[in-house]
Amino acid sequence: MKERLKVNGLLMFLAACLVLFFPKFFLRPDYLGPVNDIAEVFGFSMVLFGLLLRISARGYKAESSKEGYALVEGGPYKLVRNPMYLGIAMIGLGVVLILFKWWASLVFFLIFTARYIFLIFKEEKRLIEKFGRDYQNYMKSTPRTLPKLRILLSQDLREVLPLKISWIKKEIGSVIGFIAGILIIESFKTSSK
């Protein structure tokens, strides 16, 4: 896990440096009017829902499987097998929609997919070895990364996205930092017109 965090941190640092040195190339101008406003609203919605999904998945997993000794199939893990990665993808794509030019969403998607697809397959192999038939049955009944619309519409949101104050408290610093960072960059874009 620490290696994954180092690689992800390095990728985010490199992306931040590129944006810092070439803002006009990457950042979307604000003069696009209603299209820009719609993209920003949709992007903020994705960021907030991605944060909610990530917090719920981390908290639920920590509470349901002390140190990874139990297979977690409830809560957000009922929607998809990788809800934390889905949350991260939503956060990233939301940021792209808020701040960046349209082509950046394709670049983000390609880099994200290349980065996480190998991690997912590696984790699935480890989980099959650890939980055997139970995990294979879970794989058959639960999508890997994108929830089925039928499942989304049939579930009680409080069941599949539970939240506890203690889970939010653990993540509040990163949530505030993340949203503050977006707002700072957005205000920088607006003031540099």
Side-chain angles (χ1 to χ4, degrees):
M1 181 166 145
K2 292 188 187 251
E3 179 184 332
R4 180 176 68 207
L5 292 176
K6 285 180 185 177
V7 171
N8 291 350
L10 178 64
L11 288 172
M12 289 188 333
F13 175 76
L14 291 173
C17 287
L18 283 171
V19 171
L20 199 62
F21 290 115
F22 306 104
K24 289 186 190 270
F25 184 72
F26 291 103
L27 298 178
R28 187 175 62 243
D30 278 338
Y31 58 78
L32 298 176
V35 173
N36 191 57
D37 295 341
I38 291 168
E40 287 181 359
V41 168
F42 191 66
F44 267 110
S45 299
M46 285 189 72
V47 167
L48 293 175
F49 193 75
L51 288 167
L52 168 72
L53 180 59
R54 189 173 169 276
I55 290 168
S56 180
R58 285 189 74 185
Y60 192 88
K61 182 179 178 186
E63 212 168 84
S64 301
S65 178
K66 302 293 184 210
E67 300 184 30
Y69 291 113
L71 178 59
V72 180
E73 299 178 69
Y77 293 87
K78 191 172 187 176
L79 295 174
V80 292
R81 297 192 309 261
N82 297 283
M84 284 189 264
Y85 293 158
L86 177 58
I88 293 167
M90 292 176 75
I91 293 165
L93 188 56
V95 169
V96 169
L97 289 174
I98 295 167
L99 300 172
F100 294 93
K101 293 184 178 178
W102 309 115
W103 57 263
S105 58
L106 178 62
V107 172
F108 169 80
F109 178 76
L110 292 173
I111 291 172
F112 184 87
T113 301
R115 173 74 185 119
Y116 281 94
I117 198 74
F118 296 112
L119 290 173
I120 288 171
F121 287 136
K122 184 178 173 182
E123 286 176 7
E124 285 180 349
K125 183 179 177 187
R126 184 181 54 80
L127 290 167
I128 289 171
E129 289 171 3
K130 187 172 191 173
F131 297 110
R133 177 62 71 201
D134 289 339
Y135 190 75
Q136 290 173 331
N137 290 335
Y138 175 59
M139 289 173 72
K140 290 176 187 172
S141 65
T142 309
R144 181 177 283 133
T145 52
L146 293 175
K148 294 177 182 171
L149 186 59
R150 168 181 54 80
I151 294 172
L152 271 177
L153 297 175
S154 69
Q155 298 298 314
D156 180 357
L157 194 60
R158 294 170 297 193
E159 251 184 64
V160 293
L161 286 176
L163 275 182
K164 293 187 177 180
I165 296 297
S166 60
W167 301 350
I168 295 170
K169 283 182 180 178
K170 282 184 178 178
E171 299 288 327
I172 197 69
S174 60
V175 169
I176 291 171
F178 204 82
I179 293 173
I182 292 171
L183 293 173
I184 289 168
I185 294 170
E186 184 66 15
S187 66
F188 171 75
K189 274 179 32 180
T190 305
S191 66
S192 65
K193 283 201 293 186

